[in-house]
């Protein structure tokens, strides 16, 4: 048995532009920041959290993340508490769901038809795993996956080896029979390679994935790599 592990954000789904505007409109009455300052703060917060994931492979709780962001956005607690902010943010997200990237359904069907196990392997920041599962279900692709690994549920994030160990354990496959597909050089590709998985980096070329999967799982290709390691 062989497994294809998929990153989620910017690999299978991407942010809806309408959500980026809606999350600004949602809080602008509760902060003295301008709309441009609000959007800049959102972006800086996400960048800082992503950098923390990359460096330390740790995971904050949802409450910790929303409390930090609530403070950075200078939201008046009398006008909008942290709990209210969290509820409105996630509701706004679901009302403006991310979109599927091109060729996602075709690639997943190809993997299913060829007998590969599939899993989601995603870091989570402000959106809880239950809601992400809802997004996948709404697009009719939830059932393609044999299991899902979300950083919020295992308290560590990519590129932490413990994250990839969860994929390894749940897949019940040898490391050499697992390919991790993602868009981030650090969290996806370096993290998975360091753990011992094969990897494929994707941007907007998901339609090339079937050919690339077959090349990585080709026995002749693998034997050539083995011989290269032996003689070099």
């Amino acid at each position: 048995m062989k497994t294809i592990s998929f990153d989620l954000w910017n690999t299978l789904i991407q942010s809806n532009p309408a959500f980026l505007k809606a999350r600004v409109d949602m809080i602008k009455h509760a902060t003295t920041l301008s709309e441009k300052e609000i959007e800049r703060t959102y972006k800086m917060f996400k960048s800082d959290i992503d950098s923390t994931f990359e460096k330390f492979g740790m995971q904050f709780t949802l409450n910790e993340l929303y409390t930090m962001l609530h403070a950075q956005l200078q939201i008046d607690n009398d006008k909008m508490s942290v709990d209210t902010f969290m509820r409105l943010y996630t509701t706004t997200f679901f009302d403006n769901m991310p979109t599927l990237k091109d060729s996602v359904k075709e690639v997943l069907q190809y993997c299913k038809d060829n007998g590969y196990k599939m899993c989601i392997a995603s870091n989570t920041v402000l959106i809880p795993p239950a809601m992400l599962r809802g997004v996948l279900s709404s697009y009719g692709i939830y059932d393609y996956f044999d299991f899902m690994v979300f950083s919020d549920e295992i308290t560590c994030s990519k590129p932490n080896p413990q994250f990839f160990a969860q994929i390894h354990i749940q897949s019940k496959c040898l490391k050499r029979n697992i390919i991790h597909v993602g868009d981030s050089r650090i969290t996806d590709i370096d993290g998975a390679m360091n753990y011992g998985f094969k990897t494929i980096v994707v941007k907007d070329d998901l339609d090339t994935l079937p050919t690339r999967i077959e090349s990585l799982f080709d026995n002749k290709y693998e034997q050539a790599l083995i011989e290269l390691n032996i003689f070099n």
Side-chain angles (χ1 to χ4, degrees):
M1 180 63 72
K2 297 174 180 178
T3 294
I4 313 297
S5 164
F6 290 95
D7 170 52
L8 186 56
W9 287 102
N10 297 319
T11 298
L12 300 181
I13 63 174
Q14 57 196 354
S15 291
N16 185 337
F19 170 65
L20 303 181
K21 182 180 185 305
R23 68 179 184 176
V24 173
D25 294 340
M26 178 193 79
I27 67 158
K28 62 184 181 182
H29 73 282
T31 176
T32 57
L33 297 182
S34 68
E35 291 187 16
K36 288 185 177 180
E37 289 172 327
I38 292 171
E39 189 51 52
R40 184 164 59 248
T41 301
Y42 274 129
K43 290 179 180 178
M44 289 177 60
F45 177 81
K46 177 65 163 56
S47 178
D48 288 345
I49 296 301
D50 285 345
S51 294
T52 301
F53 285 170
E54 291 173 0
K55 291 178 182 177
F56 304 109
M58 61 182 291
Q59 177 69 35
F60 297 101
T61 67
L62 273 177
N63 188 64
E64 289 171 336
L65 289 164
Y66 275 99
T67 298
M68 288 188 285
L69 182 55
H70 186 274
Q72 290 184 27
L73 288 167
Q74 300 178 35
I75 295 174
D76 185 335
N77 198 59
D78 291 334
K79 295 180 178 179
M80 184 182 294
S81 67
V82 173
D83 288 343
T84 300
F85 175 46
M86 185 186 305
R87 177 176 54 78
L88 289 176
Y89 191 96
T90 52
T91 300
T92 301
F93 169 83
F94 207 72
D95 288 341
N96 301 272
M97 285 198 304
T99 58
L100 285 182
K101 300 200 73 173
D102 292 342
S103 303
V104 166
K105 290 186 177 180
E106 292 83 356
V107 166
L108 296 179
Q109 188 62 48
Y110 163 83
C111 291
K112 179 180 179 180
D113 290 344
N114 284 271
Y116 296 123
K117 282 186 178 181
M118 286 179 280
C119 74
I120 291 291
S122 178
N123 286 347
T124 53
V125 182
L126 295 171
I127 306 303
M131 191 159 282
L132 294 173
R133 289 184 173 93
V135 169
L136 297 176
S137 181
S138 70
Y139 281 118
I141 62 173
Y142 180 89
D143 290 336
Y144 278 106
F145 302 101
D146 296 274
F147 61 94
M148 300 184 184
V149 180
F150 291 104
S151 60
D152 182 60
E153 295 178 337
I154 62 171
T155 67
C156 68
S157 62
K158 296 179 292 184
N160 192 321
Q162 294 179 28
F163 185 102
F164 292 99
Q166 284 297 314
I167 301 171
H168 188 200
I169 292 167
Q170 293 191 51
S171 71
K172 297 181 174 63
C173 290
L174 298 173
K175 289 182 181 181
R176 66 172 180 267
N177 288 335
I178 300 172
I179 294 176
H180 179 68
V181 179
D183 69 298
S184 169
R185 172 60 60 183
I186 296 175
T187 58
D188 289 311
I189 306 308
D190 290 349
M193 285 183 67
N194 289 339
Y195 188 75
F197 294 167
K198 295 178 171 67
T199 61
I200 297 176
V201 61
V202 293
K203 295 296 182 181
D204 294 314
D205 55 351
L206 204 61
D207 59 318
T208 67
L209 203 55
T211 300
R212 297 162 77 185
I213 288 171
E214 293 309 316
S215 294
L216 278 182
F217 279 146
D218 182 82
N219 289 333
K220 293 180 180 178
Y221 175 86
E222 189 164 293
Q223 184 60 37
L225 289 180
I226 293 171
E227 291 175 359
L228 187 64
N229 289 332
I230 291 174
F231 296 113
N232 292 281

